[in-house]
Amino acid sequence: MMMPRWATIFTLLGVMLLCALGTWQLQRLFYKTTLITQITSEFTRDPMQTELAPGVLLQSKMHGVFFIRGYIEGIFLHDKEILIGPRVMDGNVGYHVLTPFESVMSDDTILVNRGWIPQNLPRSQISRPPQSMIITGIATKPSAPNGFTPDNNIQKDEWFWVDTKAIAQSKKLHSLMPYILYQDAQKGGKWPIPVSVPFKADHHHLQYALTWFSLALTLLGVYYFRFIRRK
């Protein structure tokens, strides 16, 4: 019995495609592992080693660094503070307090996520350091909204996601950097409660790669038993 040409072509194309998908997942595994190692080292590094100047943040972006730990000296612009919400902590609904922080070294400002407050907390109970100070934390790019995130209502000062361009325009911040700094815990004041920078370290690329390669072997096995061994 002759083997149908279409079966051979289909099998070869299928195996090539499945192996390509498996190889791609292995490449993603290597990339994600390197990224996690890099980010983990940033989380534990001394923040006073790096000043979070615009040039440093831009250079880190060019090198593919998504998180950078450091410090910045300046003063909070509390009159331009915004609340991002809703945000949940321990099952309670509230907001993240974002305050522009102006550097003393330049006119540049960066949005600082100072932490979480309950939904009904009066703004008067939010601690607001008045003097020039040094703050530390992890700077990163704001997360993009998903399909379920409402649009920001700039006129009513209602913010659901961090849009640095819209915030800069609304609050008249002429040198706002397109980053957000998750501030480390500070002494004094109960509110806001510091929050961690969002980062998911789990990945399943090895599992996906093994699945694709297993399917390739299965397809070869079907071809062998259906045509070669039967012949």
Side-chain angles (χ1 to χ4, degrees), residues 164-223:
T164 54
K165 291 184 179 179
I167 293 172
Q169 182 179 4
S170 173
K171 301 298 180 179
K172 296 180 173 55
L173 300 168
H174 302 293
S175 301
L176 183 64
M177 293 183 281
Y179 299 91
I180 182 170
L181 174 65
Y182 285 79
Q183 185 182 7
D184 293 334
Q186 299 287 312
K187 295 181 179 180
K190 180 180 180 180
W191 309 107
I193 299 175
V195 295
S196 301
V197 57
F199 169 65
K200 295 182 179 180
D202 58 321
H203 58 84
H204 308 282
H205 298 293
L206 180 59
Q207 177 182 342
Y208 296 152
L210 293 176
T211 299
W212 291 122
F213 288 130
S214 298
L215 289 174
L217 289 174
T218 301
L219 184 59
L220 285 175
V222 171
Y223 179 82

Side-chain angles (χ1 to χ4, degrees), residues 9-168:
I9 295 175
F10 172 81
T11 301
L12 289 176
L13 291 176
V15 169
M16 291 173 60
L17 176 61
L18 293 170
C19 288
L21 290 171
T23 302
W24 175 65
Q25 288 295 338
L26 288 179
Q27 293 172 346
R28 292 289 298 169
L29 172 65
F30 175 77
Y31 167 78
K32 188 66 71 66
T33 303
T34 303
L35 179 61
I36 291 174
T37 302
Q38 179 189 65
I39 293 174
T40 302
S41 65
E42 281 294 322
F43 274 52
T44 57
R45 191 168 59 83
D46 181 6
M48 299 306 295
Q49 294 179 352
T50 304
E51 182 181 5
L52 298 175
V56 174
L57 292 170
L58 180 61
Q59 185 178 13
S60 68
K61 178 183 178 182
M62 294 173 60
H63 287 85
V65 180
F66 297 93
F67 301 87
I68 180 168
R69 185 169 179 78
Y71 76 93
I72 185 171
E73 182 178 2
I75 187 168
F76 282 109
L77 306 178
H78 294 294
D79 60 323
K80 301 180 185 297
E81 168 186 284
I82 68 170
L83 301 181
I84 296 284
R87 297 293 185 268
V88 179
M89 175 177 282
D90 297 331
N92 299 311
V93 178
Y95 302 96
H96 283 184
V97 180
L98 269 64
T99 310
F101 190 83
E102 186 176 53
S103 171
V104 298
M105 302 300 294
S106 65
D107 294 331
D108 296 293
T109 56
I110 186 171
L111 279 178
V112 177
N113 188 325
R114 300 182 55 219
W116 179 88
I117 61 170
Q119 188 174 25
N120 298 321
L121 182 77
R123 287 203 176 191
S124 59
Q125 295 187 24
I126 302 175
S127 62
R128 296 184 175 91
Q131 72 279 8
S132 176
M133 60 187 302
I134 294 177
I135 62 173
T136 61
I138 295 179
T140 184
K141 295 285 288 185
S143 301
N146 57 39
F148 300 98
T149 306
D151 294 331
N152 293 321
N153 192 329
I154 300 176
Q155 287 72 25
K156 294 184 178 181
D157 201 28
E158 295 178 349
W159 303 89
F160 303 97
W161 59 282
V162 180
D163 184 345
T164 54
K165 291 184 179 179
I167 293 172

